[in-house]
Amino acid sequence: MAKQLFYIHGQFTPEYENFVDLPGNVLVVDDLHIAAPWDDPWIVAGLTSSIIDRLTDNQYAVVLPRVSGDAETALLTEAGVLLSAEPFSDEVLIIDTSLAAPEEAAHRVREHLRSRARHGGADPFSEDWDEEDDEGEETLTARTRAVLHLALQDLSDQAWQEVSTLGDQPAQRSAGGLFGSLPRVTWNQDGPWRRQMARAFDDLAADCSSNAEVEPRSTGEEMALHLGIARAQELKHNRPRLVRDMVAGLPEDRADFDWDACSDVLFQDHDVLMLFDNSLDGIEEPDNEIHQSLGVVNLPPHDWFTAFDPEQARDPDRGFRYP
């Protein structure tokens, strides 16, 4: 690695200086020894981000291997990608800690691990977290459910309007809109695909209104629920009078409007959110190495509406809100 970053007399190469924002200190992570069951790319990414956070307050570059080899080296490579490392060469990945992307990626890794911890196991980032604290506490309280229902209805209205407007035209982030805000792997999907996405909001809204268990049954519903939670937060913040009227008469609970807890508890994982990370382009493809190592499923857009569990699939004859 040193040969790629430095000249023999110790100066940085121009290629390296142009690659990072603030060339200076360098942390090289090139050797890993980790035993099962901790040999997991998410855990290695969490460990690496923790080291980065604690080592120094200065901005510096973190260099990781980008080579095929033994399983532990592959874990470092996968962890680097999860932390938004950029390829510097065929053999090296670099995380530039002076940029925002690695910090956002580290937050995503921590949230993923916390989500897994809530389904069993210890939270590696909290010494005082106690799983018993959450026992018996309803996350989706009556007031939370009501606001989430309103948010999903709002998104459904927007989705169906855009279904009519866009037809089969590609969506564009620059044009705004709901479908333009989805990961770019979906932008070229056609009208029938968007109708299914719009129906995902309707299905989840129906679950909220019927007091059924709110649990996304497909990748499309996972995305719809993520967007629904984000819209519910916006409504609570930006339209307090509307929310106050909506929840009037419903019982209060200390867990009301705990949207972070909703994001943790209502999902088995947050894999679909990786599609927003441009550094992970191609992760939706089954032959992608990171896809295979993480065991993600149904990320290609054509699989978004395939039920995770066929026994819990929606009624295929339920139809659509609009013909």
Side-chain angles (χ1 to χ4, degrees), residues 73-96:
T73 302
L75 282 172
L76 282 174
T77 302
E78 294 157 9
V81 174
L82 289 172
L83 293 170
S84 292
E86 294 288 340
F88 176 70
S89 69
D90 291 339
E91 298 177 334
V92 170
L93 293 168
I94 293 181
I95 300 174
D96 187 350

Side-chain angles (χ1 to χ4, degrees), residues 35 69 82 96 118 127 132 135 170 176-177 181 208 230 234 238 310:
L82 289 172
D96 187 350
R118 286 184 179 271
E127 296 179 356
E132 294 180 358
E135 291 183 0
S181 71
C208 286
E234 293 174 5
N238 297 327

Side-chain angles (χ1 to χ4, degrees), residues 9 23 31 44 69 76 96-97 113 155 171 179 202 218 235 237 248 297 299:
H9 46 73
D31 193 22
V44 176
L76 282 174
D96 187 350
T97 62
L113 291 174
L155 289 167
F179 288 104
D202 290 332
S218 65
L235 290 172
H237 182 265
V297 297
L299 288 188

Side-chain angles (χ1 to χ4, degrees), residues 140 144 147-148 151-152 155 201 214 222-236 258-267 270:
L140 202 58
T144 305
V147 178
L148 181 58
L152 289 165
L155 289 167
F201 294 110
V214 177
E222 283 187 334
M223 179 60 71
L225 187 55
H226 277 298
L227 296 176
I229 292 171
R231 181 62 61 88
Q233 288 179 282
E234 293 174 5
L235 290 172
K236 181 68 171 60
D258 188 343
W259 306 115
D260 289 337
C262 288
S263 293
D264 284 346
V265 175
L266 299 182
F267 301 86
H270 298 310

Side-chain angles (χ1 to χ4, degrees), residues 177-235:
L178 174 63
F179 288 104
S181 71
L182 296 180
R184 63 184 181 186
V185 296
T186 69
W187 290 353
N188 290 320
Q189 297 304 304
D190 57 15
W193 186 93
R194 292 182 182 127
R195 285 168 56 81
Q196 293 185 82
M197 189 66 216
R199 184 169 62 179
F201 294 110
D202 290 332
D203 287 336
L204 290 169
D207 290 342
C208 286
S209 64
S210 66
N211 290 323
E213 181 179 3
V214 177
E215 179 181 6
R217 306 186 194 187
S218 65
T219 300
E221 289 190 15
E222 283 187 334
M223 179 60 71
L225 187 55
H226 277 298
L227 296 176
I229 292 171
R231 181 62 61 88
Q233 288 179 282
E234 293 174 5
L235 290 172

